[in-house]
């Protein structure tokens, strides 16, 4: 399977956010301004022309602080809209990802008091399928089975789960805890299937090791732009510790580059054929 750099791109559409989560990598990057609507449209057209981008991951900050722009960009190509879920969520062509980092009490401890209830109410108003995205760390990983059970019952279609990539280091999963977490994810994947829990054995083994170094699929395949429209190096998570990387898409795309058949198959399923065959 051939896959070119930039078929998948990501943009930090804003440097602003209405939350202040304990594990946030984005705030550590210290962005202070952002492109205007027309400038972003031009920048995305450039991605399409230069790299053949066919899937745009819209991140922030909180992208729905620029709701109209998100909708405008979705007129150009399919998007994955990644939101903290605290603002009304529009329907898009592509996928909606809502960040939920634990059962109610733990989620609120990480993301701010009362945020869980607001998300539930915004999701109740959403009429398209959605994916829950979760970042596991030493504080929240044990609640993952309850989180999955609750959100499958609430109607979530799938789960996009990463492990926290430091800094900050105090909540990173290491040693026995990391093993325990990966074993739990393996069990959940076998129970619900990989269309719900987006993992393969290759990816879980890779996440256990953490270190992707130069083979990182994200670094090699995804073009990421900061709020000013500049290319981020080496990846969206610029400044994080590659030796302890837990980013789901990094392990997914590394499996693709390495030719793992199950991981290629999963990537094709969740990216809706964007990667080609
Ligand atoms: S919602 Fe996202 S960007 Fe905002 S503080 Fe939380 S992790 Fe950071
Ligand atoms: S932080 Fe993770 S995704 Fe980014 S380049 Fe390093 S290993 Fe890859």
């Amino acid at each position: 399977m051939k896959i070119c750099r930039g078929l998948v791109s990501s943009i930090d559409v804003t440097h602003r956010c209405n939350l202040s989560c304990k594990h946030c990598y984005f705030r550590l990057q210290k962005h202070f301004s952002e492109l205007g609507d027309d400038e972003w449209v031009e920048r995305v057209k450039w991605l399409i022309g230069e790299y053949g981008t066919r899937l745009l991951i819209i991140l922030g900050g909180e992208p729905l602080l620029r709701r109209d722009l998100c909708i405008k960009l979705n007129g150009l190509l399919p998007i994955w809209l990644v939101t903290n879920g605290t603002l009304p969520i529009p329907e898009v062509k592509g996928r909606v990802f809502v960040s939920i980092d634990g059962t109610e009490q733990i989620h609120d401890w990480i993301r701010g008091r009362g945020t869980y209830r607001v998300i539930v109410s915004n999701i109740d108003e959403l009429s398209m399928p959605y994916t829950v995205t979760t970042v596991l760390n030493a504080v929240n990983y044990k609640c993952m089975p309850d989180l999955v059970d609750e959100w499958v019952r609430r109607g979530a279609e799938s789960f996009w789960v990463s492990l926290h990539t430091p800094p900050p280091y105090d909540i990173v999963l290491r040693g026995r805890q990391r093993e325990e977490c990966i074993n739990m994810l393996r069990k959940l994947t076998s129970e619900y299937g990989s269309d719900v829990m987006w993992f393969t054995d290759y990816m879980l083994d890779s996440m256990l090791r953490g270190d992707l170094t130069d083979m990182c699929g994200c670094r090699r395949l995804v073009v990421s732009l900061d709020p000013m429209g500049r290319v981020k190096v080496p990846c969206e998570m610029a400044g994080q510790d590659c030796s302890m990387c837990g980013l789901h898409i990094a392990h997914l795309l590394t499996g693709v580059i390495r030719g793992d058949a199950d991981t290629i198959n999963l990537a094709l399923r969740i990216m809706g054929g964007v990667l080609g065959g």
Side-chain angles (χ1 to χ4, degrees):
M1 176 183 177
K2 273 187 117 171
I3 159 167
C4 305
R5 180 162 191 262
L7 270 185
V8 179
S9 294
S10 75
I11 60 174
D12 300 334
V13 79
T14 177
H15 70 100
R16 292 165 289 140
C17 188
N18 56 342
L19 299 186
S20 184
C21 307
K22 290 197 163 43
H23 60 325
C24 181
Y25 72 88
F26 185 76
R27 286 178 181 276
L28 299 176
Q29 295 176 353
K30 301 199 187 313
H31 303 291
F32 299 107
S33 58
E34 61 201 44
L35 297 184
D37 283 14
D38 292 346
E39 291 168 310
W40 266 127
V41 168
E42 285 313 307
R43 209 66 189 126
V44 169
K45 284 182 179 166
W46 172 78
L47 285 171
I48 295 169
E50 185 76 15
Y51 294 100
T53 296
R54 289 160 64 180
L55 174 65
L56 184 68
I57 304 177
I58 300 190
L59 306 164
E62 170 45 48
L64 288 178
L65 291 172
R66 298 194 66 179
R67 182 190 178 88
D68 292 348
L69 174 60
C70 293
I71 292 165
K72 202 182 279 186
L73 294 174
N74 198 199
L76 300 176
L77 75 175
I79 62 172
W80 280 10
L81 175 66
V82 184
T83 173
N84 64 33
T86 57
L87 299 168
I89 307 166
E91 286 197 27
V92 299
K93 279 183 283 166
R95 284 184 187 275
V96 165
F97 296 79
V98 184
S99 297
I100 299 169
D101 280 332
T103 44
E104 183 167 359
Q105 203 182 0
I106 294 174
H107 172 95
D108 279 3
W109 181 78
I110 293 172
R111 290 190 164 252
R113 196 187 301 174
T115 52
Y116 193 89
R117 287 284 121 201
V118 176
I119 293 168
V120 168
S121 113
N122 283 328
I123 285 181
D124 283 347
E125 298 297 313
L126 182 64
S127 50
M128 69 175 286
Y130 63 93
T131 298
V132 167
T133 180
T134 305
V135 180
L136 294 178
N137 57 48
V139 176
N140 68 358
Y141 77 100
K142 287 191 177 161
C143 75
M144 192 61 197
D146 289 340
L147 187 160
V148 174
D149 177 59
E150 176 175 347
W151 283 92
V152 164
R153 282 189 283 109
R154 285 188 187 279
E157 191 185 66
S158 43
F159 294 82
W160 194 28
V161 183
S162 296
L163 307 189
H164 172 68
T165 306
Y169 284 89
D170 55 342
I171 54 170
V172 72
L173 283 158
R174 304 168 190 264
R176 285 279 297 277
Q177 280 187 329
R178 199 167 179 110
E179 265 176 48
E180 209 183 312
C181 177
I182 294 295
N183 288 340
M184 180 255 302
L185 292 173
R186 231 182 270 283
K187 192 157 170 271
L188 288 171
T189 307
S190 114
E191 196 178 332
Y192 289 94
S194 62
D195 283 328
V196 174
M197 296 296 298
W198 287 353
F199 284 117
T200 61
D201 284 336
Y202 177 95
M203 291 168 64
L204 289 164
D205 292 344
S206 175
M207 282 171 106
L208 181 60
R209 289 190 302 273
D211 193 359
L212 296 171
T213 59
D214 289 345
M215 272 311 286
C216 170
C218 219
R219 179 193 298 236
R220 292 171 64 138
L221 297 180
V222 180
V223 177
S224 296
L225 304 185
D226 75 6
M228 290 296 290
R230 299 169 299 200
V231 176
K232 297 173 92 169
V233 179
C235 73
E236 165 60 27
M237 309 255 287
Q240 300 303 103
D241 186 343
C242 293
S243 74
M244 303 181 88
C245 184
L247 190 67
H248 180 281
I249 195 168
H251 294 275
L252 176 82
L253 292 178
T254 303
V256 169
I257 289 176
R258 297 266 184 173
D260 179 69
D262 288 345
T263 307
I264 290 171
N265 200 287
L266 177 64
L268 289 172
R269 292 198 317 270
I270 67 182
M271 292 187 168
V274 162
L275 297 180

